[in-house]
């Protein structure tokens, strides 16, 4: 696997796969948060109630989260490159529709279709990249991929605020169109086709998990507006949980389920997915509040607030590639656990020093520590995830992990915002600070628990059998160039 001839042969396809999947992943991840800083301009231009503006964010989150598993299954069945291109085309077309929206309802509908395209495209990026890169170089490649994805998630408010402030809000969507149009033919030329062996569409499983995730995510994103004890929220939580329970039972009993529950018997697969959900819960909820703190309390514009968060949001670009190389040498467990511990420390630092008149200099160490921690997490997490399953299960694993990250992010915003509303509010800078501090402590605790789950990951001296199968045994799901 480390021979010079093999490395030379795979260099071209691996680089193409990294560029194409990285750019596509950046677009899809960016749209999670890019709209948030543009909402005032959208309301001024298109009108609409507060609930309508919330749905410009939630429509994307909902369709993205609930269809991720189905998107991965479609790729396994009909061809990952083919479905990647289809998802990319849907996402690009919906971005143009969003930019051209004549009213708020049309914008919400376009955002929902964007989420459909992203749900098809996003889980396949990791599978296509893993298939194209040899195992000896996978840590570095996934490190760069993780840095790009992490930066997109965290820099959404900065990019959205800058485009809105200096051009117009429509350009947060127009930006996707030329990039998507360029990627579609390049993906057809630069990526090799692959499928999972004996793959079948699991329609009962798809309906159960889609309905379950829809109910839960719908309840979470509406809990603050409707109240946690309201009928719609309770119905969503209870029905969603029941459907997810049915999905788990189906995964145990069915002969060919979308997500075989046997995968969770692998402690590495269980650990990395639990850690991912908790990490996104803490980080997404905290970024949601801290970006508002910098604008509403510190008085910065959206662009100024995004720039001051760069020590946090930009750090993954520097740290993640290094952490990928480091994980190849010492194993993913210590790097992931250290990254999550640093993120928890950074959020705890914020909670300890935050006040209505806190200086930026006092916040800077927390920003840097959190950024280093995020960079240490992303690259090894992707590598560890794909090493815990066989080649045939990589699409399922990627879809599962991405869905859990999205659900974790929605849960984080809902839970931390509820704590914020219960302990503070928007009435004054002091009220905002009073609500933010306990919410940040909860975010720090969630990420610290994620670090504990990371300790379940197998050490380097005991690689999983699935990892050995994936790295050493070429199978029908591998692309021809990776043989």
């Amino acid at each position: 696997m480390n021979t010079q001839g093999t490395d030379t042969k795979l260099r071209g396809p691996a680089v193409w796969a990294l560029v194409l999947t990285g750019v596509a992943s950046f677009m899809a991840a960016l749209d999670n948060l890019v709209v948030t800083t543009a909402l005032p301009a959208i309301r001024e231009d298109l009108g609409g109630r507060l609930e309508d503006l919330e749905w410009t964010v939630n429509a994307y989150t909902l369709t993205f989260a609930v269809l991720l598993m189905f998107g991965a299954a479609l790729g396994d069945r009909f061809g990952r490159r083919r479905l990647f291109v289809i998802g990319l085309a849907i996402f690009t077309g919906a971005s143009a529709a969003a930019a051209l929206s004549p009213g708020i309802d049309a914008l919400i509908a376009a955002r929902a279709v964007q989420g459909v395209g992203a749900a098809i495209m996003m889980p396949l990026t990791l599978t296509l990249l893993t298939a194209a890169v040899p195992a000896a170089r996978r840590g570095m490649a996934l490190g760069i991929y993780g840095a790009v994805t992490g930066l997109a998630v965290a820099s959404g408010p900065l990019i959205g605020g800058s485009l809105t402030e200096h051009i117009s809000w429509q350009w947060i969507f127009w930006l996707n169109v030329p990039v998507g149009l360029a990627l579609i033919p390049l993906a057809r030329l630069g990526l090799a086709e692959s499928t999972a062996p004996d793959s079948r569409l699991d329609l009962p499983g798809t309906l159960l998990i889609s309905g379950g995730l829809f109910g839960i995510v719908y309840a979470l994103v509406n809990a603050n507006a409707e109240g946690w004890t309201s009928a719609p929220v309770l119905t969503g939580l209870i029905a969603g949980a029941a459907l997810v329970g049915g999905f788990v039972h189906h995964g145990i009993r069915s002969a060919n389920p979308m997500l075989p529950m046997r995968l969770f018997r692998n402690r590495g697969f269980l650990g990395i997915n639990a850690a991912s959900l908790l990490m996104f819960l803490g980080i997404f909820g905290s970024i949601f509040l801290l970006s508002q703190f910098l604008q509403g309390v510190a008085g910065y514009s959206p662009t100024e607030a995004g720039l001051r968060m760069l020590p946090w949001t930009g750090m993954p670009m520097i740290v993640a590639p290094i952490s990928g190389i480091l994980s190849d040498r010492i194993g993913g467990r210590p790097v992931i656990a250290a990254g999550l511990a640093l993120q928890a420390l950074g959020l705890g630092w914020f909670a300890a020093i935050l006040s209505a008149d806190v200086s930026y200099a006092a916040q800077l160490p927390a920003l840097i520590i959190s950024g280093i921690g995020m960079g240490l997490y992303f690259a090894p997490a992707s590598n560890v995830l794909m090493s815990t399953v066989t080649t045939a299960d990589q699409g399922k694993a990627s879809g599962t992990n991405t869905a859990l990250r999205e659900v974790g992010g929605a849960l984080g915003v809902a839970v931390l915002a509820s704590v914020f509303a219960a302990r503070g509010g928007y009435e004054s800078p002091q009220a905002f600070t009073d609500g933010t501090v306990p919410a940040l402590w909860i975010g720090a605790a969630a990420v610290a628990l994620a670090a504990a789950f990371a300790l379940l990951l197998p050490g380097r001296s005991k690689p999983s059998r699935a990892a050995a199968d994936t790295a050493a045994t070429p199978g029908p799901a591998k692309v021809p160039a990776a043989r």
Side-chain angles (χ1 to χ4, degrees):
M1 207 61 195
N2 211 11
T3 64
Q4 198 68 28
T6 302
D7 283 350
T8 301
K9 182 179 178 181
L10 294 177
R11 185 174 294 132
V15 170
W16 267 111
L18 178 58
V19 171
L20 294 172
T21 60
V23 173
S25 160
F26 184 90
M27 287 199 306
L30 184 70
D31 272 55
N32 266 310
L33 294 175
V34 73
V35 176
T36 54
T37 47
L39 288 177
I42 292 173
R43 184 178 186 180
E44 182 179 347
D45 193 14
L46 300 182
R49 301 166 300 168
L50 177 62
E51 293 79 8
D52 296 325
L53 296 178
E54 290 176 348
W55 272 110
T56 63
V57 178
N58 298 342
Y60 182 84
T61 303
L62 280 172
T63 53
F64 191 13
V66 304
L67 294 177
L68 276 166
M69 297 289 291
F70 190 51
L74 285 173
D76 286 348
R77 175 65 179 84
F78 296 109
R80 292 160 182 156
R81 183 187 65 184
R82 177 181 298 135
L83 266 294
F84 174 78
V85 170
I86 290 173
L88 187 57
I90 293 172
F91 183 86
T92 303
S95 296
L100 295 170
S101 296
I104 195 70
D105 292 337
L107 178 59
I108 292 170
R111 287 285 288 165
V113 178
Q114 261 193 314
V116 174
I120 297 172
M121 173 177 65
M122 189 70 167
L124 299 177
T125 58
L126 194 56
T127 311
L128 288 166
L129 179 59
T130 302
V133 178
R137 294 184 174 185
R138 201 166 289 154
M140 181 185 298
L142 292 176
I144 298 172
Y145 174 94
V148 171
T149 304
L151 180 64
V153 170
S155 64
L158 169 61
I159 295 175
S162 298
L163 290 172
T164 300
E165 190 173 329
H166 299 295
I167 309 178
S168 72
W169 67 263
Q170 285 90 346
W171 274 92
I172 64 179
F173 302 114
W174 279 127
L175 187 66
N176 294 327
V177 176
V179 178
L181 291 176
L183 285 180
I184 289 171
L186 291 175
R188 290 187 59 84
L189 294 172
L191 296 175
E193 187 59 279
S194 65
T195 58
D198 302 321
S199 177
R200 299 181 181 88
L201 286 180
D202 179 14
L203 292 180
T206 299
L207 292 174
L208 285 169
I209 194 59
S210 297
L213 288 179
F214 179 86
I216 292 171
V217 176
Y218 178 89
L220 292 174
V221 298
N222 286 282
N224 292 313
E226 302 284 345
W228 284 96
T229 58
S230 65
V233 171
L234 286 177
T235 300
L237 290 174
I238 294 171
L243 289 171
V244 170
F247 176 75
V248 172
H249 182 266
H250 175 76
I252 295 172
R253 305 292 296 179
S254 176
N256 189 28
M258 173 191 297
L259 176 58
M261 291 299 127
R262 58 177 169 76
L263 296 178
F264 288 97
R265 298 174 190 165
N266 183 309
R267 71 175 191 178
F269 187 83
L270 172 64
I272 195 61
N273 280 289
S276 296
L277 185 147
L278 290 165
M279 180 268 193
F280 271 67
L281 187 156
I283 294 300
F284 257 71
S286 299
I287 289 176
F288 175 78
L289 291 174
L290 288 172
S291 63
Q292 293 185 74
F293 177 88
L294 289 173
Q295 296 177 57
V297 178
Y300 299 117
S301 71
T303 303
E304 292 171 338
L307 288 172
R308 281 162 177 80
M309 292 186 74
L310 278 179
W312 185 1
T313 61
M315 194 64 69
M317 287 296 292
I318 301 171
V319 177
I322 300 172
S323 69
I325 298 171
L326 187 62
S327 69
D328 284 342
R329 295 184 178 178
I330 67 173
R333 179 172 64 186
V335 181
I336 292 172
L340 292 170
L342 285 174
Q343 287 183 71
L345 176 62
L347 293 179
W349 190 309
F350 263 121
I353 60 96
L354 211 63
S355 65
D357 58 353
V358 65
S359 68
Y360 179 70
Q363 301 174 53
L364 193 56
L367 291 166
I368 294 173
I369 291 171
S370 297
I372 293 173
M374 187 181 293
L376 288 174
Y377 162 84
F378 273 115
S382 299
N383 203 7
V384 166
L385 171 71
M386 302 309 272
S387 71
T388 61
V389 296
T390 62
T391 305
D393 289 326
Q394 284 180 352
K396 298 181 180 70
S398 176
T400 300
N401 188 257
T402 311
L404 287 174
R405 289 182 180 189
E406 290 299 311
V407 172
L411 179 61
V413 171
V415 171
L416 269 63
S418 294
V419 173
F420 166 83
R423 300 294 297 273
Y426 291 90
E427 296 80 16
S428 68
Q430 187 58 52
F432 194 97
T433 304
D434 291 342
T436 301
V437 169
L440 289 178
W441 281 120
I442 291 177
V447 181
L449 183 58
F453 271 103
L455 298 178
L456 291 176
L457 302 178
R460 183 171 174 79
S461 60
K462 296 180 180 180
S464 68
R465 186 172 182 178
D469 292 342
T470 302
T473 305
K478 285 185 177 282
V479 296
R483 294 182 69 88

